[in-house]
Amino acid sequence: MCDCYTPAGEPIPTNKRYSAAKIFSSLEVAAEEPWYGIEQEYTLLQKDTNWPLGWPIGGFPGPQGPYYCGIGAEKSFGRDIVDAHYKACLYAGINISGINGEVMPGQWEFQVGPSVGISSGDQVWVARYILERITEIAGVVVTFDPKPIPGDWNGAGAHTNYSTESMRKEGGYEVIKAAIEKLKLRHKEHIAAYGEGNERRLTGRHETADINTFSWGVANRGASVRVGRETEQNGKGYFEDRRPASNMDPYVVTSMIAETTIVWKP
């Protein structure tokens, strides 16, 4: 894996790792040791039709409900690909921590983390590369589009779980609430950097918050930011930013969350 520079030694415009590494290497951010766990959702498509794997050609499967974490040939489509990807990531040294079938049939998720700082973006990008290679072998197309099928179907996100050392210590829940307040103040800025086509996904339906409104809550899948029940009970822990789209750049999202919550002074 590498990042790219011009002949003059300047990072090329798409090299988002360069500026992310500067944020993560700053003394203020490094002292807080930011941890990330990224839930990367994606959809598998039939190569010749660009229609989700397992869906009848030109038609639709039964409504959502039984597919999430589902098993069985009538609910789970592409598990051989998903398992091969999981094993390849383990072999490659990716800190992959889980896989599951998603709400929309043909849609899956893998989780990378906990990873510290810049390594979160590194590992997500390599895991995506490996997934492209595995699907290529299988003759299946993988898409990271945040809303591959319009209508009453779940979109695809990249929920980003996050904590700092201060959040993981006693009294960390107050630090978490202060960080969420900062994220609220910069909501539009974050949304603009959280992936293309995200407005098709963040509608306030299908387990999302409306793109124009920031909200947070405990165990609330319909909020922009969700805090786990365990974090509230323990008074410390982590939170989940549910806004990033599946096609987001993990370097941009992880460094932006760190910069907003640790460095930025409102």
Side-chain angles (χ1 to χ4, degrees), residues 57-69:
I57 300 300
F60 295 90
Q64 296 183 151
Y67 309 105
Y68 180 61
C69 296

Side-chain angles (χ1 to χ4, degrees), residues 27-49:
L27 293 177
E28 198 174 359
V29 173
E32 280 289 354
E33 197 182 8
W35 290 6
Y36 297 91
I38 294 179
E39 306 170 32
Q40 176 68 69
E41 295 179 348
Y42 60 94
T43 308
L44 298 175
L45 303 176
Q46 301 168 57
K47 183 165 67 76
D48 297 325
T49 61

Side-chain angles (χ1 to χ4, degrees), residues 213-266:
T213 309
F214 183 91
S215 59
W216 76 277
V218 175
N220 184 355
R221 285 175 175 264
S224 310
V225 170
R226 175 171 67 162
V227 175
R229 288 195 194 283
E230 198 174 50
T231 295
E232 183 189 43
Q233 289 165 358
N234 294 340
K236 59 183 178 181
Y238 70 97
F239 65 83
E240 172 194 31
D241 191 337
R242 297 178 60 83
R243 297 171 296 173
S246 48
N247 60 4
M248 63 81 159
D249 187 326
Y251 292 132
V252 173
V253 169
T254 57
S255 61
M256 197 173 193
I257 291 174
E259 201 273 331
T260 294
T261 60
I262 301 171
V263 181
W264 184 60
K265 303 290 188 289

Side-chain angles (χ1 to χ4, degrees), residues 147-255:
K147 188 76 173 180
I149 306 296
D152 199 18
W153 304 96
N154 271 39
H159 300 155
T160 301
N161 299 277
Y162 170 72
S163 70
T164 62
E165 188 172 346
S166 298
M167 294 174 189
R168 299 186 290 268
K169 288 180 175 176
E170 292 302 320
Y173 193 39
E174 293 306 311
V175 181
I176 287 171
K177 287 193 285 187
I180 292 172
E181 189 59 33
K182 283 183 164 187
L183 290 174
K184 178 182 179 180
L185 294 174
R186 292 181 94 179
H187 177 63
K188 285 186 178 177
E189 196 177 328
H190 278 254
I191 286 293
Y194 274 15
E196 291 182 23
N198 211 8
E199 70 283 349
R200 292 183 280 115
R201 168 181 161 260
L202 295 180
T203 60
R205 300 183 63 221
H206 305 108
E207 300 180 298
T208 70
D210 179 77
I211 194 167
N212 297 310
T213 309
F214 183 91
S215 59
W216 76 277
V218 175
N220 184 355
R221 285 175 175 264
S224 310
V225 170
R226 175 171 67 162
V227 175
R229 288 195 194 283
E230 198 174 50
T231 295
E232 183 189 43
Q233 289 165 358
N234 294 340
K236 59 183 178 181
Y238 70 97
F239 65 83
E240 172 194 31
D241 191 337
R242 297 178 60 83
R243 297 171 296 173
S246 48
N247 60 4
M248 63 81 159
D249 187 326
Y251 292 132
V252 173
V253 169
T254 57
S255 61

